[in-house]
Amino acid sequence: MKIGILTITPNIGYGGIMQAYALQYILQQQGHEVFLLNRKTKYSLFKKLLIFLKRFIKKYLYGKDIALTLNKEYTFISQNTEPFLQKYIRRTSDIYTTNELSETAQQGFEAFVVGSDQVWRPKYVPDIYNYYLDFLKEDRNIKRIAYAASFGTDKWEYSADEENKCLMLIQQFDAVSVRERSAVGLCEKHFDVSPDLVLDPTLLLPKSIYLNLIKNNNSVAELDMFTYILDMNDDKRKMIKQIQQNLGLELFEFNTNGENREAPLSERIAPSVESWIYGFSSAKYIVTDSFHGCAFSIIFNKPFLVYGNIERGLSRFTSLLGLLNLDDSPIPSTYEITSNRLTAPINWEEVNQIIMRKQEDSLHFLKNSLVN
């Protein structure tokens, strides 16, 4: 079966890259021909000109280290992550409009899978209706599936018009699953749909698959304390220093300046995907404010601490941690850290057994939704 995956287009976001990789990998293992729809944001000529002029002024009047266009910026900062995408993610050509999506759908696709990640969060995607497969129109010969779709938050962020239109679109889906418990409630309340609760795609693969991706990594040293912080602030810096002192570990901070447009361009080059995986696989202790940072700490059975990232969606963390019988309350500030919390043992045998059961349920959902 020829399947199209519609997710938030991965670029330099490691979680986005890995969930797209994992979902494509699983579907390919099931015998399908899989393509990721390379849906991108289309800017008007006026918008492009405005961006160029602003950047020109910053670069040549104020001496800022900045690229003049978004394309040049992305090419520069993604020079270490793009090779992974080219090697492992099978993508369509760039798609900028609903009409282009509709034309792509007519190229022999038999099913579309929406997900995973925050595909149902309006402010995170170019066109929210696309992620409810509006471009398929009335074509009922193509299967419509949502796998581990996420609203990113337990708050309802849709306008009345968005809710009404998405309600009509989701009714045409053949199968719907979500990633968070809160999303189950939101679907039931606003869409009159009762979705399955499934695992994020990254948790469907055994760690051996990820280790195979870094088998040629030249690094051999084990890392002490590995930090992967998306939104750094003074409180998080204080937290990291406090944990480092309490545990007596040497610190390795992963560079997450790629998305920080206030940082100089030369400091925004994203490290490779392989080095990101290596950090989680080799660390003795992990501190993160990232959902997928949390997921990969669990995959590699590493002791970790999650700092609640409210703006990016806290329910994603609480749902995953609660599902695995882990502490489902990410710390909201440095003041919540205690020595007991840092060193509390984790029953990884129990966690892994829960994951195995949920893997079976999640894979069963995915397989059945495509064949029935």
Side-chain angles (χ1 to χ4, degrees):
M1 180 180 287
K2 187 175 181 179
I3 299 174
I5 295 175
L6 187 58
T7 187
I8 297 175
T9 301
N11 42 58
I12 59 167
Y14 300 94
I17 292 172
M18 294 315 300
Q19 62 86 20
Y21 166 82
L23 184 55
Q24 186 178 77
Y25 183 94
I26 289 293
L27 290 171
Q28 288 174 336
Q29 289 297 106
Q30 293 180 353
H32 302 293
E33 183 183 13
V34 188
F35 293 84
L36 186 142
L37 303 183
N38 210 21
R39 177 69 165 97
K40 295 189 173 183
T41 300
K42 184 178 180 64
Y43 294 100
S44 66
L45 184 60
F46 175 77
K47 178 76 171 178
K48 289 180 180 178
L49 181 59
L50 188 61
I51 291 172
F52 178 84
L53 289 174
K54 285 182 177 179
R55 287 169 174 249
F56 185 91
I57 292 170
K58 288 181 179 180
K59 184 176 182 69
Y60 293 108
L61 266 65
Y62 295 99
K64 297 288 187 180
D65 182 10
I66 190 172
L68 291 178
T69 67
L70 291 176
N71 283 340
K72 288 184 178 179
E73 176 183 275
Y74 174 72
T75 299
F76 186 77
I77 65 177
S78 68
Q79 59 187 275
N80 296 325
T81 56
E82 184 62 26
F84 183 93
L85 291 170
Q86 292 180 3
K87 184 176 182 178
Y88 295 110
I89 306 293
R90 195 177 187 185
R91 295 175 287 182
T92 66
S93 56
D94 294 348
I95 298 172
Y96 291 98
T97 66
T98 301
N99 284 339
E100 289 177 5
L101 277 172
S102 184
E103 291 170 2
T104 301
Q106 296 171 32
Q107 297 173 12
F109 284 95
E110 300 166 84
F112 286 92
V113 179
V114 178
S116 171
D117 229 341
Q118 300 183 59
V119 288
W120 286 349
R121 197 168 192 182
K123 66 182 181 180
Y124 277 21
V125 294
D127 185 335
I128 189 60
Y129 305 124
N130 289 171
Y131 292 80
Y132 288 87
L133 304 180
D134 66 331
F135 57 90
L136 295 182
K137 307 195 185 304
E138 299 302 320
D139 191 339
R140 297 304 302 155
N141 295 319
I142 299 178
K143 286 190 174 291
R144 309 172 192 221
I145 298 154
Y147 182 80
S150 172
F151 296 101
T153 174
D154 55 2
K155 308 297 182 187
W156 190 244
E157 297 181 338
Y158 287 53
S159 68
D161 286 344
E162 288 172 337
E163 178 177 341
N164 289 333
K165 186 170 181 179
C166 291
L167 184 152
M168 289 187 291
L169 290 169
I170 202 172
Q171 298 297 325
Q172 299 177 44
F173 274 59
D174 297 282
V176 178
S177 66
V178 293
R179 197 177 64 183
E180 289 93 33
R181 285 195 178 101
S182 60
V184 174
L186 291 175
C187 282
E188 290 175 341
K189 180 178 180 181
H190 297 279
F191 292 154
D192 194 27
V193 169
S194 295
D196 286 56
L197 181 64
V198 296
L199 289 176
D200 183 86
T202 57
L203 291 160
L204 296 180
L205 302 184
K207 67 179 181 181
S208 59
I209 300 296
Y210 299 117
L211 289 173
N212 190 55
L213 293 173
I214 60 172
K215 63 182 179 181
N216 296 323
N217 191 300
N218 294 324
S219 300
V220 293
E222 184 179 32
L223 302 179
D224 271 7
M225 179 175 157
F226 178 73
T227 65
Y228 178 58
I229 302 294
L230 297 177
D231 301 306
M232 184 62 78
N233 57 34
D234 290 340
D235 191 65
K236 291 177 187 178
R237 289 189 183 91
K238 182 180 178 182
M239 170 194 68
I240 290 168
K241 185 176 181 180
Q242 182 177 327
I243 295 171
Q244 183 187 7
Q245 291 175 342
N246 286 352
L247 298 180
L249 298 175
E250 185 177 349
L251 177 63
F252 180 86
E253 296 182 280
F254 194 80
N255 179 18
T256 56
N257 269 336
E259 297 180 20
N260 180 11
R261 288 184 173 167
E262 298 303 315
L265 188 63
S266 58
E267 296 178 10
R268 294 182 58 197
I269 301 174
S272 70
V273 175
E274 290 83 356
S275 66
W276 185 83
I277 297 171
Y278 177 78
F280 287 96
S281 69
S282 64
K284 294 178 182 176
Y285 197 90
I286 296 166
V287 179
T288 186
D289 66 348
S290 154
F291 171 81
H292 283 103
C294 177
F296 272 79
S297 300
I298 292 166
I299 289 168
F300 287 109
N301 287 185
K302 301 292 183 175
F304 67 100
L305 188 74
V306 177
Y307 191 110
N309 199 326
I310 296 174
E311 286 193 10
R312 291 182 186 247
L314 197 58
S315 64
R316 301 176 302 144
F317 298 93
T318 56
S319 181
L320 175 60
L321 296 173
L323 177 69
L324 301 180
N325 289 342
L326 294 167
D327 188 337
D328 64 355
S329 301
I331 64 165
S333 74
T334 299
Y335 303 105
E336 299 296 323
I337 298 177
T338 63
S339 295
N340 288 340
R341 187 156 192 171
L342 289 177
T343 58
I346 297 175
N347 186 342
W348 287 116
E349 183 178 355
E350 178 187 11
V351 170
N352 293 334
Q353 286 177 351
I354 296 172
I355 290 176
M356 287 178 63
R357 290 196 297 270
K358 290 302 297 181
Q359 284 175 340
E360 186 176 339
D361 293 341
S362 300
L363 291 171
H364 180 76
F365 167 86
L366 199 52
K367 187 174 183 178
N368 274 16
S369 61
L370 288 166
V371 299
N372 291 337

